[in-house]
Amino acid sequence: MLLAREFVAYLARELVKKLTPSMMETVEPQVVAELVGSVITTELQVEDRLNDEVREILSEYSDYMRREGVSYQEMFRRIKNTLIAQRKVIRAAGRDTGDEMKLSRDKVIDLSHKLVLALRKARQVRLKKQPNEVRLDIVRLITDLLQNEEKVDRAARQKIRSQKREIPEGSEEWDLLLRRYYAEELKKLGIDLAR
């Protein structure tokens, strides 16, 4: 997924905390946070499943691509774009659409619609404002949290690049250091993913 599961859980908790009590009422904030986290996770997994499907398609054509000298990345991009258009999937990756954040603006807006729908259906929640007001507040809150997350991610990656020896991106060591530095940077902002 584009966002770490821990960050999705944090994002969900923060949304519930900041929407209560001005936008909604709930006596079970933990249950509502789990609902919000579930909606976000489900939406982010759509593109993950699409990527897996594209990889599977490409594995069937690996011999052809080798013979014809076709780039795996180029074919991956073409097939994914075709499937996205056919299925009317909203692209989650912000960098693919030119957005600075990990999630595209379109995906954040789509998420806000789905979150408001889920909140309206939930028995544990009573919206105090009009659904569109709540949705707009959700967009603003998610955007603010994602901008902070982007700064943290950049700082963690910079720490890895500044090591005395070069660590190849994508290696196991890179991934371990990224997780560690990412958590450290979040703590500097007062965000403890374990909470």
Side-chain angles (χ1 to χ4, degrees), residues 49-176:
R49 286 191 301 273
L50 189 73
N51 287 340
D52 291 341
E53 189 176 338
V54 172
R55 283 185 200 97
E56 194 174 304
I57 291 169
L58 287 176
S59 72
E60 296 172 16
Y61 291 97
S62 61
D63 291 336
Y64 167 78
M65 290 174 11
R66 229 182 337 268
R67 273 195 319 269
E68 299 296 320
V70 178
S71 161
Y72 182 89
Q73 289 82 3
E74 179 63 25
M75 284 303 290
F76 187 94
R77 192 178 52 74
R78 284 184 185 178
I79 292 172
K80 183 175 178 179
N81 287 341
T82 301
L83 292 176
I84 283 174
Q86 286 174 351
R87 297 177 186 173
K88 296 181 173 74
V89 172
I90 295 176
R91 198 179 279 278
R95 293 184 182 115
D96 294 345
T97 59
D99 291 327
E100 288 296 313
M101 299 178 300
K102 281 189 179 174
L103 294 184
S104 68
R105 179 88 176 142
D106 291 341
K107 192 62 172 182
V108 171
I109 291 170
D110 183 53
L111 269 173
S112 71
H113 284 283
K114 290 184 173 146
L115 288 170
V116 167
L117 184 63
L119 290 172
R120 289 180 74 187
K121 288 181 180 179
R123 292 181 184 167
Q124 302 88 349
V125 176
R126 184 180 79 77
L127 295 182
K128 294 171 77 174
K129 303 274 183 168
Q130 291 296 317
N132 197 50
E133 272 185 80
V134 175
R135 189 191 67 73
L136 291 172
D137 208 32
I138 288 172
V139 169
R140 182 186 58 75
L141 291 168
I142 290 175
T143 302
D144 290 348
L145 290 167
L146 287 174
Q147 286 173 341
N148 286 338
E149 191 275 342
E150 182 62 30
K151 290 174 190 167
V152 165
D153 187 62
R154 263 197 313 264
R157 289 174 184 278
Q158 185 55 42
K159 274 185 175 180
I160 297 171
R161 287 188 196 104
S162 67
Q163 300 288 320
K164 288 184 180 177
R165 62 181 178 79
E166 188 171 326
I167 301 168
E169 189 167 350
S171 67
E172 189 176 340
E173 184 179 12
W174 173 279
D175 293 340
L176 288 170

